[in-house]
C-alpha cells in the first residue's frame, strides 16, 4: 500500500517579544495540536525581526527564549522541525529569487507595510518593504499545504499564493500553493486595560498584557487591575466587554462555556471572579514555565536542538531551492 503523505504545516513567529495569552491560546496551542495530524515545521523568524531596529543582546536572548518556549509548550523537536530561520540560508536565497517575481505595486499595497512605515517613519528600509517576499520564501521552501496565521497575516498569505501561482505558470509546477488556516476570532483575547483593543505584545501599558512567562504574583495583580464596568454580575452583556474578555480567558484555560462560567460565578462579585481567572491562568501556565526554565538553563541541549533543527530544515528545503534554481536557468552543482 502506498504511504499517505501527511500534509505539511509551516508557521513562523517573531522572536521580538514574549508571547502573551492571546498568542498562546489563539494560535500557539494549535501548533502543538497540529503535530498529531500534520508534518510540521515551525520557525523563529529572526531575519524578519530586524526590519525594525533591535538591540542585539536583547534579540539574541529573545531568539533563545522563543525557541525554548516552543519546546516547553509541547512542540516536539524530534517530531516537528523546529528551527531558527537564519540558520537555514535557503530562506534568504529563495527570497531573493522570489523578489524578482514580485511587483513593486503588489508590495506597496500591503497594509502591514503601510502601518509599519507610519510607525517607524525614520526607518522605512528595503527589508520592511520586501518582508512579505521573505515570508513567501519561508512557506514555499517547505512546500507547505497549510499555514496557520492570525487574520493580520492573511494579505501576506494571499501574496504568497499569487507568487507561487505566477512561478508555476511560468516554469511549470514548482510550488505547492498553500492554504491559510486563519485562527478563529472567538479565541481572540482583548487588552486587560482596554477591552475594545486586542491584547498586543507591543502595548505600552504593562498591565494590558499578560505574557506566558509572567509569574503568579504578576498575573494575579494584572487580572485584579483589569478594566471592567461598574456592575457586579459575572455575565455577558452590553457594556460588559471587560468581563466578557475575562470570561473568554477563563474559558480558554478551563475549557468551560460562557453559560457554565456564568453559573459558576452566580452571586459572586468581580473581585472573586478576577482572582479565580488569575489563579486559573497561573496554574495552567506553571508546568510550561517550569519546563521553560529547565530548557533555557541547559545551553547545550538548546544548542543541540537548534543545530538538528537547522540541519533538518536545510534538508527539507534543499530540493525546492535546487528545483527553482534550475528552472530559472542557474547552474546547479
Ligand atoms: N509575518 C509573521 C508575523 O509577523 C511571521 C512569519 C514569518 C510567518 N514567516 C512566516 C508566519 C511564515 C507564517 C508563515 O506574524
Amino acid at each position: 500500500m502506498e504511504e499517505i503523505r501527511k500534509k505539511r504545516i509551516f508557521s513562523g513567529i517573531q522572536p521580538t517579544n514574549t508571547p502573551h495569552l492571546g498568542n498562546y491560546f489563539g494560535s500557539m496551542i494549535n501548533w502543538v495540536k497540529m503535530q498529531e495530524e500534520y508534518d510540521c515545521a515551525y520557525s523563529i523568524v529572526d531575519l524578519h525581526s530586524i526590519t525594525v531596529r533591535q538591540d542585539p543582546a536583547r534579540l539574541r536572548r529573545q531568539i533563545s527564549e522563543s525557541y525554548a518556549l516552543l519546546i516547553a509548550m509541547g512542540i516536539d523537536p524530534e517530531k516537528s522541525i523546529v528551527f531558527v530561520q537564519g540558520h537555514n540560508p535557503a530562506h534568504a536565497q529563495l527570497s531573493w529569487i522570489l523578489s524578482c517575481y514580485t511587483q513593486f505595486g503588489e508590495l506597496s499595497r500591503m497594509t502591514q507595510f503601510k502601518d509599519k512605515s507610519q510607525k517607524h517613519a525614520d526607518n522605512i528600509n528595503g527589508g520592511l518593504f520586501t518582508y512579505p517576499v521573505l515570508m513567501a520564501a519561508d512557506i514555499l521552501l517547505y512546500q507547505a499545504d497549510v499555514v496557520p496565521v492570525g487574520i493580520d497575516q492573511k494579505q501576506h498569505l494571499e501574496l504568497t499564493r499569487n507568487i507561487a501561482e505566477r512561478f508555476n505558470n511560468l516554469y511549470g509546477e514548482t510550488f505547492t500553493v498553500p492554504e491559510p488556516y486563519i485562527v478563529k476570532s472567538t479565541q481572540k483575547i482583548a487588552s486587560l486595560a482596554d477591552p475594545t483593543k486586542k491584547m498586543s505584545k507591543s502595548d505600552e501599558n504593562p498591565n494590558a498584557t499578560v505574557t506566558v512567562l509572567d509569574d503568579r504574583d504578576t498575573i494575579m495583580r494584572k487580572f485584579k487591575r483589569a478594566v471592567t464596568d461598574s456592575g457586579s454580575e459575572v455575565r455577558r452583556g452590553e457594556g460588559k466587554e471587560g468581563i466578557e474578555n475575562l470570561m473568554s480567558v477563563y474559558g480558554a484555560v478551563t475549557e468551560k462555556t460562557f453559560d457554565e462560567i456564568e453559573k459558576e460565578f452566580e452571586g459572586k462579585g468581580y473581585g472573586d471572579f478576577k482572582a479565580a481567572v488569575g489563579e486559573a491562568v497561573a496554574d495552567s501556565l506553571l508546568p510550561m514555565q517550569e519546563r521553560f526554565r529547565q530548557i533555557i538553563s541547559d545551553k547545550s541541549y538548546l544548542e543541540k536542538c537548534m543545530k538538528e533543527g537547522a540541519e533538518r530544515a536545510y534538508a527539507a528545503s534543499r530540493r525546492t531551492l535546487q528545483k527553482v534554481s534550475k528552472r530559472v536557468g542557474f547552474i546547479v552543482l
Side-chain angles (χ1 to χ4, degrees):
M1 216 173 79
E2 206 178 314
E3 201 182 324
I4 301 169
R5 194 179 77 91
K6 276 191 184 169
K7 285 196 168 174
R8 162 78 77 190
I9 290 255
F10 184 95
S11 200
I13 187 164
Q14 293 216 34
T16 40
N17 282 298
T18 307
H20 57 65
L21 294 183
N23 303 132
Y24 186 59
F25 291 110
S27 65
M28 298 171 92
I29 276 202
N30 285 323
W31 288 19
V32 177
K33 289 192 191 134
M34 283 169 161
Q35 293 181 110
E36 291 161 24
E37 238 185 280
Y38 298 91
D39 213 353
C40 300
Y42 296 123
S43 185
I44 305 295
V45 293
D46 56 345
L47 301 180
H48 276 101
S49 69
I50 61 163
T51 50
V52 302
R53 273 305 164 257
Q54 303 292 340
D55 171 64
R58 182 175 180 277
L59 180 59
R60 196 170 296 121
R61 192 176 63 239
Q62 285 289 133
I63 293 168
S64 288
E65 288 194 5
S66 306
Y67 191 95
L69 248 181
L70 288 187
I71 299 176
M73 268 171 14
I75 309 265
D76 179 353
E78 308 263 320
K79 199 171 187 181
S80 303
I81 304 179
V82 193
F83 71 105
V84 177
Q85 183 189 32
H87 291 168
N88 179 3
H91 290 251
Q93 265 175 291
L94 183 63
S95 177
W96 170 256
I97 297 173
L98 295 182
S99 73
C100 302
Y101 297 84
T102 311
Q103 297 303 304
F104 183 87
E106 289 181 294
L107 292 173
S108 309
R109 285 194 292 276
M110 294 293 117
T111 55
Q112 196 170 75
F113 170 70
K114 291 189 225 169
D115 289 350
K116 283 202 180 171
S117 43
Q118 257 177 14
K119 239 168 122 183
H120 305 276
D122 56 341
N123 184 21
I124 307 177
N125 60 71
L128 199 63
F129 190 63
T130 56
Y131 178 111
V133 183
L134 179 58
M135 180 162 161
D138 297 343
I139 296 164
L140 300 180
L141 261 182
Y142 299 89
Q143 305 288 354
D145 298 287
V146 184
V147 182
V149 281
I151 187 84
D152 62 319
Q153 296 298 316
K154 195 170 170 222
Q155 199 185 23
H156 290 162
L157 215 59
E158 300 272 315
L159 179 69
T160 302
R161 289 169 56 88
N162 289 340
I163 296 172
E165 278 167 1
R166 185 173 305 151
F167 198 95
N168 288 348
N169 285 336
L170 280 167
Y171 298 103
E173 284 303 306
T174 309
F175 295 122
T176 304
V177 180
E179 294 291 334
Y181 175 96
I182 305 289
V183 174
K184 284 189 222 100
S185 59
T186 49
Q187 290 152 338
K188 280 253 168 68
I189 290 176
S191 150
L192 298 188
D194 177 356
T196 62
K197 275 190 356 197
K198 251 178 39 168
M199 189 176 275
S200 158
K201 294 194 207 181
S202 51
D203 204 307
E204 274 157 28
N205 181 347
N207 289 321
T209 304
V210 175
T211 85
V212 296
L213 292 178
D214 280 349
D215 62 25
R216 183 173 296 266
D217 288 349
T218 310
I219 293 173
M220 294 304 289
R221 179 170 41 82
K222 287 180 179 175
F223 277 106
K224 272 185 196 144
R225 289 193 189 159
V227 170
T228 46
D229 56 286
S230 57
S232 61
E233 284 170 59
V234 178
R235 57 175 173 78
R236 290 154 290 177
E238 186 97 19
K240 293 176 79 78
E241 292 82 6
I243 279 296
E244 185 166 331
N245 183 42
L246 297 185
M247 290 171 76
S248 304
V249 174
Y250 192 68
V253 176
T254 60
E255 294 185 352
K256 288 178 185 163
T257 64
F258 280 113
D259 287 340
E260 287 168 342
I261 300 169
E262 287 177 1
K263 236 191 191 146
E264 185 178 346
F265 291 93
E266 219 174 277
K268 292 191 184 141
Y270 285 180
D272 285 346
F273 180 54
K274 286 178 173 180
V277 180
E279 293 283 358
V281 169
D283 286 348
S284 85
L285 293 177
L286 191 65
M288 189 265 284
Q289 292 178 340
E290 281 174 353
R291 278 196 300 276
F292 170 80
R293 272 193 292 273
Q294 250 171 23
I295 296 165
I296 201 72
S297 60
D298 190 347
K299 258 196 152 171
S300 66
Y301 172 72
L302 199 59
E303 251 178 43
K304 180 181 138 274
C305 288
M306 279 190 189
K307 266 207 177 114
E308 283 173 12
E311 278 161 19
R312 288 178 62 199
Y314 183 69
S317 59
R318 217 175 77 104
R319 273 193 44 204
T320 304
L321 187 63
Q322 286 194 341
K323 202 170 178 185
V324 170
S325 300
K326 262 193 209 147
R327 297 218 153 156
V328 299
F330 296 161
I331 293 171
V332 175
L333 294 176

